[in-house]
Amino acid sequence: MGNTTSEDLEGSGFVTYDLSKKEKDILNKTSDGYGKMVAKLKEKQATQLKLLLLGAGESGKTTVLRQMTLIHGTGFDDNYKKKMKPKICYNVLEGAVAIIESFGNLNYTVEGEDLQKAVDLILETHSPLKNFS
């Protein structure tokens, strides 16, 4: 099958239109541009690995995605770090409080004045943190 010209279509019921040189140049540049863009997209997709994370709510899908971003990606931007800092601090303090509270259940004692001051400070700040989130 060869190229169809306007002469081939005469009398066929198709409307024909001969493009000017300027229109042909624009069309060629546009199609070349789209062709290059499609080729770049195909090349980029060939190097991408897609992963579908399935699971119930609160099963850790987002956590896995964040860990993969941190380890293999570009890391986290400054805005994200700033946004997450209070949540991370809250989680660290909540974990520390859970450990301190378990001391009593396990009959452990805090030894050392500096360590006792740290425990007291954490327990003092614990109450306002309940209303943090």
Side-chain angles (χ1 to χ4, degrees), residues 19-34:
L19 299 175
S20 69
K21 179 173 180 0
K22 183 178 179 182
E23 291 170 324
K24 287 179 184 178
D25 289 343
I26 291 171
L27 183 61
N28 286 337
K29 286 179 184 176
T30 305
S31 8
D32 286 347
Y34 285 130

Side-chain angles (χ1 to χ4, degrees), residues 1 7 13 17 19 24 33-34 36 45 49 53 58 67 70 82-84 86 91-92 107 111 115 117 129:
M1 192 172 197
E7 290 87 26
Y17 178 73
L19 299 175
K24 287 179 184 178
Y34 285 130
K36 289 176 184 176
Q45 285 181 344
L49 177 65
L53 296 174
E58 301 296 320
Q67 289 296 320
L70 184 61
K82 188 175 182 179
K83 178 180 143 189
M84 295 305 292
N91 287 340
V92 168
N107 296 321
E111 296 178 5
L115 189 55
K117 285 181 183 178
L129 288 176

Side-chain angles (χ1 to χ4, degrees), residues 43-55:
E43 185 179 311
K44 184 177 179 181
Q45 285 181 344
T47 61
Q48 288 179 343
L49 177 65
K50 296 182 182 181
L51 177 67
L52 176 63
L53 296 174
L54 300 175

Side-chain angles (χ1 to χ4, degrees), residues 82-128:
K82 188 175 182 179
K83 178 180 143 189
M84 295 305 292
K85 185 177 179 178
K87 293 179 183 182
I88 293 169
C89 291
Y90 175 77
N91 287 340
V92 168
L93 287 174
E94 281 292 303
V97 167
I99 292 170
I100 293 167
E101 288 175 348
S102 69
F103 274 23
N105 298 338
L106 299 171
N107 296 321
Y108 289 151
T109 58
V110 177
E111 296 178 5
E113 189 177 325
D114 290 341
L115 189 55
Q116 185 61 51
K117 285 181 183 178
V119 166
D120 292 341
L121 179 63
I122 291 170
L123 292 176
E124 285 173 22
T125 60
H126 174 59
S127 295

Side-chain angles (χ1 to χ4, degrees), residues 51 53-72 76 80 84 88 91:
L51 177 67
L53 296 174
L54 300 175
E58 301 296 320
S59 65
K61 299 178 297 290
T62 303
T63 302
V64 169
L65 182 61
R66 286 184 184 146
Q67 289 296 320
M68 296 298 284
T69 301
L70 184 61
I71 295 168
H72 299 287
F76 300 118
Y80 184 80
M84 295 305 292
I88 293 169
N91 287 340

